[in-house]
Amino acid sequence: MAKRVFRAILIKPSHYDEDGYVIQWLRSTVPSNSLASAYGLVAECAAAKVLGPDVDIAIEAYDECNTIINVKRAIRQIRASDGGFVGLIGVQSNQYPRALDMARQFRAAGITVVIGGFHVSGCISMLPELPTDLKEALALGITLYAGEAEGRMAALLRDIDAGRLKPIYNYLSDMPEMSAATLPVLPRWAVTKVAGHYSSFDAGRGCPFQCSFCTIINVQGRKSRYRTADDVEQIVRVNAAQDITRFFITDDNFARNRNWEPILDRLIELRERDGFRIRLLLQVDTLCHRIPGFIEKAARAGCNAVFIGLENINPESLMGTKKRQNKIWEYREMLQAWKKAKVITYAGYILGFPTDTPESIARDIEIIKAELPIDILEFFYLTPLPGSEDHKKLYLSGVPTDPDMNKYDLEHVCTAHPRMSKQQWEQAYNNAWTRYYSDEHVETIMRRAAATGIRLTKIYELSAIFSGAARIERVHPLQFGFFRRKVRKIRRHGMRRVNPLVFYPWRAFDIARTVWQWYRLVRRYKAIMERVKADPAASTYIDQALTPPIAGAEDHVVQLFADKIPKTHGAPVNHAVAAH
Ligand code: B12
Ligand code: SF4
């Protein structure tokens, strides 16, 4: 029987920097789980021969954060096949303009393009009508895919192959079960483009909380849907067979995955009984220390770092965004519990809540530095992300928001602030990085690590990356990679190409300046690390952040925000305030 080849080219787009060049690296630092999921789904269709016994489905998967996409080559490949399409995968709002620029080129060559991910899903889920940029895609003949694709990829491929693709697929009201769902696994060649050879998977989707700036609950729902321990074991085994045992579990809040315990128990078994050298990075909430056994089991399962959604230390800000679950009076205890388990803590901190001012932001960061034993702190602007309740409210009330989606990356001001001008807000954001990653504070973080048995070299590397990404590379650390690439011919739609005689000298200077700044930063932080290592008293270091809270005694953070702490169960009562 004559064979046909149907080619699926899956691309996870990046986005543009201020000069219109794609933010991409020789090696990225975080793998794309969206790409792994889409790859897994198409690979399953290929194995099942869903287009017929005579059709081979060839798949290619690229993460633009670590790969320069050759659009012309992709067009040639699809034309040389007997059908196929380009899938733009997991497209976030900030990546949508880049996705559209690539799609325009594919459409001009008559190639079928489907765009999925949070921008399409978030807008369709929350807005009463399609925003202009989604309409533009439809006008170009691009198909929009809203919702999750588990169990549905075969139908989509058949529609493409039969030439009956619809303009919009909307599965938002029908979320697939995760147990026994297709595994998100990428081939080794794709994973090795990520520094440290990390892979990723989602052990579940959905979060029960209601933060108003969050898009996840409006796209993936508030009910916990989760993979089984068997599924997770299989993900580990398939990856381990390719010599990959480090994983980023991308659940937005693994602590609220209702199956967290069987999953961790299985991972513990795989490590302790079968000798798998598993390393995990988890995302959790600030109440996870209250779940009996959670932190201990996470550490035993191989978790050596956690992202914690701290967001802010002012209860008024937290209540204003419905982040009621964050109880500042428990922050120190929670962070110390992770320290005790020798797990590195990353905390996200949002700047620009309505009550924030440059002074209050500076004060709060100093409080955090002195009183909370956080290792790595990362800052974000409060951003009305499409798909969130905040965005919907602004959209419906006609409040101006920045129309350029490329800026919705949490590191740009996208709307007005009631108490800060745009310049003040930007200054406060830049100062936050400088203030937290001062040499003095990096030394304190290292001293705390030495006293709690956390590996100093890891803290040294992470402090350098988080400090340097924002201040040297001018990108958020979550977008960071090693060795930035800027391709002269790949520039944002509408921006002119720079003459090579101007571009290359500029680029040479750009690289030299960056290398010099990194060299100075790394040398300083290394000297700090050597100093701490050489200190014979390092293991006995103690400060306010490492001192366990004394039962019944009032903490300074609690005193400071006493009149803002809501009267909820377990909240400390400040008697001076309560008397009013
Ligand atoms: C892991 C993660 C990261 C990782 C990895 C990112 C990456 N490159 O993959 C890191 C930490 C690097 C990261 C960074 C950022 N992230 Co992030 N991230 C996530 C997270 C937690 C999980 C992503 C995931 O794997 N989801 C599971 C997959 C399977 O879901 P999915 O992408 O929607 O894909 C499914 C469907 O949409 C559909 N689908 C998707 N594409 C396609 C295409 C086709 C053709 C088809 C048929 C189907 C289809 O099929 C998939 C399977 O069902 C999400 C939140 C979430 N719960 O999804 C935020 C999220 C996507 N991130 C977000 C943001 C804003 C960012 C940052 C800009 C800022 C930041 N500081 O966090 C940076 C950008 C950096 C970058 N270059 O990507 C936002 C996006 C919101 C929006 N409206 O755009 C989210 C939603 C979180 C939030 N704060 O609201 N992120
Ligand atoms: S805790 Fe995180 S995932 Fe859950 S609603 Fe809040 S921001 Fe969203």
Side-chain angles (χ1 to χ4, degrees), residues 120-255:
V120 171
S121 295
C123 290
I124 294 183
S125 153
M126 293 301 271
L127 303 181
E129 62 194 353
L130 288 186
T132 331
D133 57 355
L134 294 193
K135 284 187 186 148
E136 192 183 343
L138 292 180
L140 287 166
I142 296 163
T143 286
L144 302 176
Y145 195 96
E148 298 172 27
E150 278 75 10
R152 298 164 181 147
M153 192 57 95
L156 181 79
L157 298 188
R158 285 192 197 106
D159 283 1
I160 297 172
D161 199 35
R164 53 165 190 252
L165 198 59
K166 294 182 230 160
I168 300 183
Y169 289 76
N170 180 355
Y171 295 108
L172 284 161
S173 56
D174 183 10
M175 293 177 205
E177 270 314 312
M178 294 290 293
S179 78
T182 312
L183 307 181
V185 178
L186 279 172
R188 184 176 163 82
W189 61 262
V191 178
T192 51
K193 293 195 149 224
V194 177
H197 299 184
Y198 263 88
S199 191
S200 62
F201 64 89
D202 41 2
R205 295 182 193 156
C207 175
F209 297 126
Q210 294 184 68
C211 312
S212 66
F213 53 81
C214 180
T215 63
I216 293 138
I217 42 180
N218 304 317
V219 172
Q220 298 183 334
R222 291 183 54 207
K223 180 175 164 249
S224 166
R225 293 173 289 134
Y226 44 82
R227 295 188 195 273
T228 62
D230 287 348
D231 298 338
V232 171
E233 173 169 349
Q234 213 190 327
I235 293 175
V236 171
R237 287 187 183 277
V238 173
N239 276 289
Q242 315 188 74
D243 202 19
I244 294 157
T245 51
R246 297 173 182 197
F247 301 97
F248 172 22
I249 301 192
T250 59
D251 294 37
D252 298 280
N253 189 348
F254 184 69

